[in-house]
Amino acid sequence: MVPSSVPVRTAAGCACARATPRSERRARFRAAMKTPVARCAQRCSTRASVIASTEGVFAVLTGAAAIGQHLEDNSKLGSRVSAPILAMATTSALSTAGLLPTVSRAYDIVWDNLMPMGVVLALLSSSSVAPSRDKIDKDSGWQVLRGFIVGAFGTIVGTYLSFACIGRALGAEGWKIASCLCSSYIGGSINFAATAKALDMVNSGGQALLTAGMAADNLAMAVYLGILFLIKTDGPKPVENADIDQVETKRQIPTKSSLCATCAVALIVLRLSYSLAVFAGVPSFNLGITCILAPCVAWAMRKVSQLEKVRLWNLCSITEMPGAQEISGALMLVFFSALGAGLDLRSGALASLPMLTFIGILLVTQLLFTLVVGHKLLKIPLWAVLVATNANVGGPATAAALASARGWLRATSPAVMTGIFGYSVATLIGMCVGKTLVSLG
């Protein structure tokens, strides 16, 4: 993450910085420092740490990410808590103990370079993991997509309502964290990170809210998904030869050439997105454009991989971009480690109560809106509404897990595809909502 004292090093960030007068940036910083969270974070950022070098900090960040993923894969507690939260908790504890600095060049690199790269790779990976068209039940897919759209509107309504009730308690940066949560509850964690980056949450108060938001988000998420499991309903009617509903993926084994090609495509997408944003006069919206452009590139690469000459020349191992998902997952874990390291546990705790209240109002509104409008008014089947709202709030993985756990095999593929669709549009929606929230602050 980027502290207020360090200039943003991306081209988009530089453009935004140049467009904002220094006096205005100072005024915004002073306004942010009026909140207890920001003041505590500022005091913590000035404390000396045991590990100060960029290389040493990177070693700790990647180590915490590895430990978090290992615990998630190999322990019951880890699987319930999730790798991102474990990584954040580890680095946050080290920062609290004075072993890690709260401000470091390593965090700037993660925020400015690694996180956007992880976002693009996550979107590009859909080309290699998406089920083929003939595997998707069109009727089930349409029902889930309808529910997903209604749920997205429910998230927007919930964001406005919760901000009107709790926004002032979040401080000057509250509208930004509201935007991040809005995009997260339409898409997923990558949209949370991308929106935070796009809205330039660079001062100390922003760091505090980001950490508190992630912690409160995961606690609220566990309760929300538990409620979805408690709602009883019948699933979609089974069909003959139900094995057609299973998601089959034939993934290429990553090679050195395929990994290099995948990274090259991701970097091209990032640069092209920024160029389009500058051309449109909105350089700060470059990540929102990225989240629309990357799936288009992924779809095109998937089509190219189906060409006969491509298969004849054995280029599928490159055009299908194997390894994109793994690289993205690793980069995002490092990002969450950096997010936790930017603030100690004491300052993060200060924002927990208002943040939990904010998220609670948002999610309750979202669920009630989706059930009433989607199920009662539009007559969308309840099972589709539950899968769709899970895809909204939890992403494609948890939505597919819910469908599978409840035996709704026909809903598994639609859950994955609507979740991927959410990744594509959520960042831009969250950023637009954030701009309108400024007037309510």
Side-chain angles (χ1 to χ4, degrees):
M1 65 201 65
V2 186
S4 58
S5 58
V6 179
V8 180
R9 292 172 175 82
T10 57
C14 292
C16 293
R18 287 193 298 268
T20 305
R22 180 176 298 179
S23 58
E24 183 179 343
R25 294 199 298 271
R26 288 175 178 172
R28 277 191 284 177
F29 178 76
R30 287 195 296 269
M33 291 304 297
K34 293 179 181 179
T35 64
V37 173
R39 290 195 299 269
C40 183
Q42 175 66 13
R43 288 196 300 269
C44 294
S45 66
T46 60
R47 184 185 55 195
S49 61
V50 174
I51 303 173
S53 68
T54 301
E55 296 80 5
V57 173
F58 259 122
V60 175
L61 296 181
T62 53
I67 291 173
Q69 188 62 56
H70 179 77
L71 291 176
E72 179 181 295
D73 294 338
N74 296 280
S75 68
K76 291 183 179 180
L77 178 61
S79 62
R80 293 176 181 176
V81 176
S82 81
I85 289 300
L86 290 171
M88 286 178 58
T90 301
T91 53
S92 184
L94 293 175
S95 179
T96 302
L99 299 178
L100 277 179
T102 54
V103 176
S104 172
R105 168 63 178 155
Y107 307 151
D108 300 345
I109 295 173
V110 171
W111 187 271
D112 292 338
N113 304 110
L114 300 189
M115 186 275 291
M117 185 77 165
V119 171
V120 176
L121 288 170
L123 295 170
L124 290 177
S125 68
S126 63
S127 66
S128 60
V129 302
S132 58
R133 184 174 300 177
D134 60 340
K135 299 294 182 183
I136 301 177
D137 186 311
K138 293 184 179 179
D139 180 64
S140 297
W142 171 240
Q143 297 292 356
V144 175
L145 179 60
R146 291 174 64 205
F148 184 89
I149 294 173
V150 173
F153 277 103
T155 296
I156 296 172
V157 172
T159 301
Y160 283 120
L161 178 61
S162 54
F163 188 81
C165 297
I166 308 295
R168 291 185 181 274
L170 300 180
E173 300 292 301
W175 69 273
K176 294 184 179 181
I177 194 65
S179 305
C180 296
L181 292 170
C182 179
S183 63
S184 179
Y185 295 150
I186 295 176
S189 297
I190 64 171
N191 302 102
F192 181 98
T195 305
K197 165 64 178 172
L199 294 179
D200 195 25
M201 295 189 70
V202 298
N203 60 59
S204 300
Q207 294 177 20
L209 286 174
L210 280 174
T211 302
M214 286 298 300
D217 167 54
N218 278 267
L219 176 59
M221 181 83 66
V223 176
Y224 185 90
L225 297 182
I227 293 174
L228 294 185
F229 272 98
L230 291 176
I231 300 177
K232 303 297 182 182
T233 184
D234 294 329
K237 296 180 180 179
V239 296
E240 296 182 2
N241 300 324
D243 59 328
I244 64 171
D245 296 306
Q246 300 296 327
V247 178
E248 297 179 1
T249 57
K250 297 181 180 179
R251 303 186 61 190
Q252 297 286 340
I253 298 175
T255 63
K256 287 180 284 187
S257 60
S258 68
L259 292 176
C260 291
T262 298
C263 292
V265 172
L267 291 170
I268 292 173
V269 170
L270 280 173
R271 185 60 200 178
L272 182 58
S273 299
Y274 174 68
S275 298
L276 291 174
V278 171
F279 179 77
V282 284
S284 61
F285 274 56
N286 64 316
L287 274 176
I289 296 175
T290 297
C291 289
I292 296 176
L293 181 61
C296 297
V297 174
W299 176 84
M301 295 292 286
R302 183 176 176 82
K303 291 297 182 182
V304 169
S305 66
Q306 296 174 356
L307 297 177
E308 183 177 353
K309 288 187 177 181
V310 172
R311 295 184 178 277
L312 181 63
W313 294 342
N314 195 27
L315 295 177
C316 292
S317 61
I318 295 178
T319 57
E320 292 184 4
M321 292 179 289
Q325 186 175 19
E326 289 76 10
I327 300 174
S328 172
L331 293 178
M332 296 309 293
L333 278 178
V334 174
F335 166 74
F336 288 125
S337 295
L339 193 60
L343 184 69
D344 69 29
L345 295 174
R346 291 170 296 178
S347 56
L350 291 174
S352 294
L353 182 58
M355 191 66 67
L356 280 172
T357 306
F358 183 94
I359 293 176
I361 295 174
L362 194 163
L363 291 181
V364 168
T365 303
Q366 192 266 356
L367 181 58
L368 292 178
F369 183 94
T370 308
L371 290 173
V372 173
V373 176
H375 181 53
K376 296 296 184 181
L377 298 182
L378 299 181
K379 304 302 181 183
I380 301 174
L382 184 56
W383 65 264
V385 170
L386 296 180
V387 172
T389 193
N390 195 331
N392 282 130
V393 176
T398 59
L402 178 139
S404 178
R406 302 188 71 161
W408 303 341
L409 298 181
R410 292 179 62 192
T412 303
S413 293
V416 174
M417 297 308 296
T418 52
I420 292 174
F421 171 71
Y423 285 159
S424 304
V425 301
T427 300
L428 190 59
I429 293 175
M431 290 161 59
C432 293
V433 169
K435 296 300 182 181
T436 62
L437 288 175
V438 179
S439 60
L440 299 178

